[in-house]
């Protein structure tokens, strides 16, 4: 049976379930997103043109500057935001932004999570407890 | 996290709701990132343009600003990153009144908290550079990487809420670059061509940033054949931080923690090593200039210009005139000197516009592009090139000299 549950080293926020939007690429709210339209806007990004609203984003690493620390809070206030962030590697800004926005995020796997979770799969993200995880509910 | 008696008191609300909010935020962040305790910090620097804050963020600040004075004031020197506008030039930029009003609301709230509105990303050049080994809580990636690497200070990337929290509590979670073991090199860059121009230093930063790839990587450069100046390190670091989310670099024989490679090389470890040469810098710049033969504007920003850079721009404009928009962005600390020394007059007499206290990409850049019909932009900042594409611009990375020549040739690119 192929593995469907992947454990992270850290998590915060609440349990969510939703469709995964997956790419081997980074995440920065300022650099990558048109936050008004809710789409990836940086032309070089592998998800350019895709909507992230309500999706569980499964990406490689937090990128860029410090703006995301405010921006997740701003995005949540307008209701135009992902359901959760699942990253191979975070930086402090992503953690700070998720903390202020009370947003769901897990990170740090012993494999490349962007290769493990199928794009479009229904996934469950459970950030609490000693072993936060993402589970593929249906590919 | 282990808390001192004072930190427990903060968490219990003894020092008021703002400090309680702040330390709870810091504990949440510290726990996620494995901090064992807090470290006192000497300064905080808050990034908070209103494009990032949004109305929600400004309202969050205003709630804090309405608290009694004894419960809302920062307890350590706390300064700010650039605003999202130059209040004197907002109309010229075709920014909307609501943008300016939102910025003013943020300024008023910060002032109520005791924050010094320095509005600069070059505080290490113009306000108070930190000292070797000093722990600080800085919130601009270019500021953090410069202060960590060139000054030997210790900071993580502290986003706005965390930097403000550090201002309110006087401390920050001890993780990342506050720790000795995190400051060792994780990869080596063998440089065969020492850059000459600021755009080349930015290109080198961008290349190394892509090689490093994440916040926890610390590149050590060898082969730089002279001691670079502050503006060169400013552009290199800003680009490295932007492209790679990197917070610390070493240049062996130059930066203070890396007099010798053995100072930063983990014992017994062979590190991944990459070679970067002149051709790589050229290819980096050319990757942005493809199919651009004419630009709509030229921008010097990100980072703000030093007084020395302002003079360089003024000198290059001597006897010439820009016939497309040419924006030259500096800090509120440099602007009065630039005015007094005639640099502002010279730049503006040549058709340029000098802006202060803001940053081009933090100023509703997409809306400015739409209002002004701007699409293609030339700059000598690799950091700006990296960011501005997400705002709908097509950027080209040129030397300062080529940027000026382009501005004076109706936007037709010269290299």
């Amino acid at each position: 049976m192929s593995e469907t549950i992947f454990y992270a080293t850290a998590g915060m926020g609440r349990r969510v379930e939703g469709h995964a939007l997956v790419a081997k690429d980074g995440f920065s709210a300022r650099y990558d997103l048109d936050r008004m339209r809710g789409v990836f806007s940086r032309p070089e990004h592998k998800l350019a043109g895709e909507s992230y609203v309500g999706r569980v984003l499964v990406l490689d690493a937090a990128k860029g500057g410090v703006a995301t620390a405010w921006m997740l809070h701003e995005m949540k206030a307008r209701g135009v935001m992902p359901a959760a962030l699942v990253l191979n590697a975070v930086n402090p800004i992503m953690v700070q932004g998720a903390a202020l926005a009370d947003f769901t995020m897990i990170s740090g796997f012993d494999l490349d999570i962007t290769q493990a979770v199928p794009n479009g799969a229904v996934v469950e993200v459970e950030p609490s407890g000693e072993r936060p995880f993402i589970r593929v509910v249906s590919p | 996290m282990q808390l001192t008696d004072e930190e427990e008191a903060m968490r219990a609300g003894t020092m008021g709701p703002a400090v309680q909010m702040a330390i709870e935020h810091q504990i949440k962040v510290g726990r996620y990132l494995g901090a064992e305790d807090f470290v006192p910090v000497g300064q905080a620097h808050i990034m908070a343009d209103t494009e990032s804050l949004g109305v929600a963020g400004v309202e969050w600040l205003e709630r804090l600003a309405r608290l009694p004075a004894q419960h809302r004031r920062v307890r350590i020197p706390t300064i700010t990153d650039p605003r999202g506008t130059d209040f004197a030039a907002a109309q010229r930029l075709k920014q909307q009144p609501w943008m300016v009003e939102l910025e003013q609301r943020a300024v008023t709230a910060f002032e109520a908290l005791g924050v010094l509105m320095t509005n600069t990303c070059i505080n290490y050049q113009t306000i108070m550079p930190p000292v070797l080994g000093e722990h600080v809580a800085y919130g601009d990636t270019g500021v953090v990487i410069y202060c960590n690497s060139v000054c030997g200070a210790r900071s993580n990337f502290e986003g706005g809420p965390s930097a403000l929290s550090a201002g309110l509590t006087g401390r920050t979670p001890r993780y990342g670059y506050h720790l000795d073991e995190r400051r060792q090199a994780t990869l080596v860059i063998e440089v065969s061509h020492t850059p000459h121009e600021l755009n080349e230093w930015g290109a080198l930063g961008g290349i190394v940033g892509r090689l490093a790839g994440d916040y926890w990587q610390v590149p050590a450069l060898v082969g730089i054949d002279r001691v670079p100046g502050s503006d060169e390190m400013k552009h290199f670091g800003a680009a490295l931080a932007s492209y790679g989310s990197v917070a610390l670099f070493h240049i062996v024989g130059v930066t203070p923690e890396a007099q010798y490679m053995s100072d930063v090389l983990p014992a017994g470890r062979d590190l991944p090593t990459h070679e970067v040469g002149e051709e790589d810098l050229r290819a980096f710049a050319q990757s942005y200039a493809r199919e651009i033969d004419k630009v709509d504007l030229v921008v010097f920003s990100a980072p703000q210009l030093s007084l020395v850079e302002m003079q360089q721009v003024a000198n290059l404009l001597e006897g010439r005139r820009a016939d497309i928009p040419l924006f030259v962005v500096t800090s509120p600390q440099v602007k009065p000197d630039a005015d007094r020394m005639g640099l502002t007059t010279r730049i503006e007499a040549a058709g340029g516009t000098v802006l202060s206290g803001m940053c081009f990409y933090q100023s509703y850049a997409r809306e400015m592009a739409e209002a002004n019909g701007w699409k293609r932009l030339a700059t000598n900042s690799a950091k700006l090139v990296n960011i501005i594409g997400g705002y709908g611009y097509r950027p080209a990375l040129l030397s300062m000299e080529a940027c000026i020549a382009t501005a004076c040739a109706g936007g037709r690119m010269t290299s």
Side-chain angles (χ1 to χ4, degrees):
Chain A
M1 186 196 309
S2 61
E3 192 170 358
T4 60
I5 189 164
F6 306 98
Y7 292 98
T9 56
M12 68 162 72
R14 296 177 185 76
R15 179 192 171 280
V16 304
E17 194 167 305
H19 289 273
L21 185 58
V22 185
K24 177 76 175 171
D25 208 330
F27 182 80
S28 161
R30 190 197 289 281
Y31 291 17
D32 296 332
L33 310 182
D34 181 329
R35 288 166 286 113
M36 292 302 134
R37 291 171 51 222
V39 298
F40 283 87
S41 60
R42 186 165 61 85
E44 298 80 21
H45 200 283
K46 291 191 172 117
L47 297 175
E50 296 259 13
S51 170
Y52 55 79
V53 179
R55 305 291 290 271
V56 174
L57 295 183
V58 182
L59 294 165
D60 188 26
K63 288 288 192 186
V66 301
T68 303
W70 289 118
M71 283 182 173
L72 291 180
H73 176 262
E74 189 276 330
M75 289 156 66
K76 185 174 182 179
R78 288 184 295 109
V80 181
M81 75 183 301
L85 259 177
V86 177
L87 296 167
N88 280 323
V90 291
N91 66 12
I93 297 303
M94 207 60 56
V95 177
Q96 294 156 22
L100 183 71
D102 195 21
F103 182 61
T104 299
M105 182 170 75
I106 67 173
S107 62
F109 301 88
D110 56 10
L111 76 177
D112 183 347
I113 197 63
T114 69
Q115 304 301 303
V117 175
N119 190 30
V122 175
V123 296
E124 174 196 6
V125 179
E126 174 53 80
S128 60
E130 284 201 17
R131 299 188 79 194
F133 63 82
I134 177 170
R135 184 171 69 87
V136 180
V137 175
S138 60
Chain B
M1 290 175 69
Q2 294 172 21
L3 304 183
T4 64
D5 291 344
E6 186 179 20
E7 289 152 3
E8 291 285 7
M10 288 179 176
R11 194 179 187 188
T14 308
M15 300 180 196
V19 171
Q20 184 181 39
M21 175 282 304
I23 203 149
E24 283 177 347
H25 171 80
Q26 292 180 307
I27 289 169
K28 204 169 172 181
V29 171
R31 274 194 187 140
Y32 195 105
L33 292 164
E36 292 184 358
D37 58 8
F38 281 97
V39 59
V41 291
Q43 302 177 41
H45 171 260
I46 303 173
M47 176 277 179
D49 63 274
T50 54
E51 190 203 328
S52 306
L53 282 165
V55 172
V58 172
E59 289 175 346
W60 185 86
L61 286 173
E62 288 174 330
R63 285 194 289 275
L64 290 176
R66 286 194 286 269
L67 293 170
Q70 70 270 24
H71 285 157
R72 68 175 191 240
R73 297 188 80 83
V74 292
R75 57 178 60 202
I76 59 173
T78 302
I79 61 175
T80 59
D81 216 26
R83 303 287 90 229
T85 189
D86 177 336
F87 290 100
Q91 233 177 357
R92 166 78 177 86
L93 297 170
K94 295 188 183 169
Q95 291 182 316
Q96 297 303 303
W98 66 262
M99 300 171 182
V100 178
E101 188 197 317
L102 200 59
E103 278 291 334
Q104 188 54 62
R105 283 172 61 187
V107 168
T108 302
F110 275 125
E111 287 175 339
L113 302 179
V115 174
L116 296 168
M117 302 306 297
T118 52
N119 303 336
T120 183
C121 61
I122 57 170
N123 55 303
Y124 48 82
Q125 288 182 324
T126 61
I127 307 287
M128 183 178 288
V131 173
L132 176 67
E134 183 180 359
H135 295 274
V136 292
Y138 282 164
D140 175 286
T141 59
V143 171
V144 173
I145 197 170
Y146 187 104
C147 292
N148 278 344
S149 312
V150 180
C151 302
R154 300 193 171 208
S155 182
N156 289 304
F157 285 176
E158 300 277 9
S162 290
L164 177 56
S165 295
L168 289 165
T169 64
R171 65 211 67 217
T172 199
R174 191 198 307 260
Y175 68 90
Y177 295 104
H178 292 286
L179 305 172
D180 291 344
E181 58 267 29
R182 279 291 187 181
R183 300 179 72 90
Q184 295 283 287
T186 62
L187 71 161
V188 175
I189 310 294
E190 293 180 351
V191 180
S192 59
H193 170 78
T194 299
H196 299 297
E197 304 289 339
L198 298 177
N199 58 301
E200 287 187 304
W201 279 104
L204 180 60
I207 292 167
V208 176
R210 284 175 176 162
L211 290 169
D214 74 69
Y215 181 78
W216 308 103
Q217 301 301 322
V218 179
L221 281 71
V222 295
I224 299 292
D225 61 16
R226 61 175 171 84
V227 180
S230 175
D231 282 333
E232 292 172 315
M233 288 293 87
K234 178 170 80 175
H235 275 262
F236 172 72
L240 175 51
S242 182
Y243 280 85
S245 201
V246 171
L248 172 65
F249 66 86
H250 301 295
I251 298 180
V252 177
V254 175
T255 53
E257 292 174 273
Q259 189 181 8
Y260 304 105
M261 186 56 138
S262 56
D263 293 337
V264 294
L265 191 67
R269 280 186 59 191
D270 281 326
L271 298 182
T273 300
H274 305 272
E275 294 176 2
V276 179
E278 188 174 9
E279 187 48 46
D280 299 303
L281 304 188
R282 201 173 296 128
F284 181 93
Q286 285 172 351
S287 71
Y288 286 101
R290 283 196 195 109
E291 296 165 21
I292 300 179
D293 57 359
K294 196 167 183 291
V295 299
D296 305 309
L297 76 163
V298 170
V299 177
F300 293 115
S301 180
Q304 290 171 335
L305 272 62
S306 68
L307 188 66
V308 170
E309 289 171 286
M310 295 291 285
Q311 185 183 44
Q312 289 166 347
V313 170
N315 287 346
L316 285 166
L317 282 168
E318 199 70 45
R320 303 162 96 174
R321 183 157 185 87
D323 41 28
I324 61 169
L326 166 62
F327 295 110
V328 185
V329 185
T330 188
S331 76
Q333 295 76 44
V334 168
K335 178 71 166 40
D337 277 351
D339 292 347
R340 179 171 61 86
M341 296 173 192
L343 301 177
T344 305
T345 299
R346 288 168 59 196
I347 292 169
E348 293 188 337
T353 300
V354 175
L355 304 167
S356 84
M358 62 174 276
C359 178
F360 189 81
Y361 73 81
Q362 291 182 355
S363 301
Y364 304 96
R366 185 185 306 278
E367 289 83 351
M368 282 200 295
E370 289 165 359
N372 290 282
W374 296 334
K375 182 71 180 173
R376 299 155 302 177
L377 173 156
T379 180
N380 73 336
S381 163
K383 173 174 178 171
L384 184 60
V385 158
N386 188 35
I387 296 173
I388 209 68
Y391 285 96
Y393 294 76
R394 289 184 61 213
L397 180 63
L398 306 176
S399 68
M400 182 186 283
E401 186 172 352
C403 282
I404 297 290
T406 296
C408 298
R412 285 180 301 282
M413 293 248 291
T414 66
S415 56

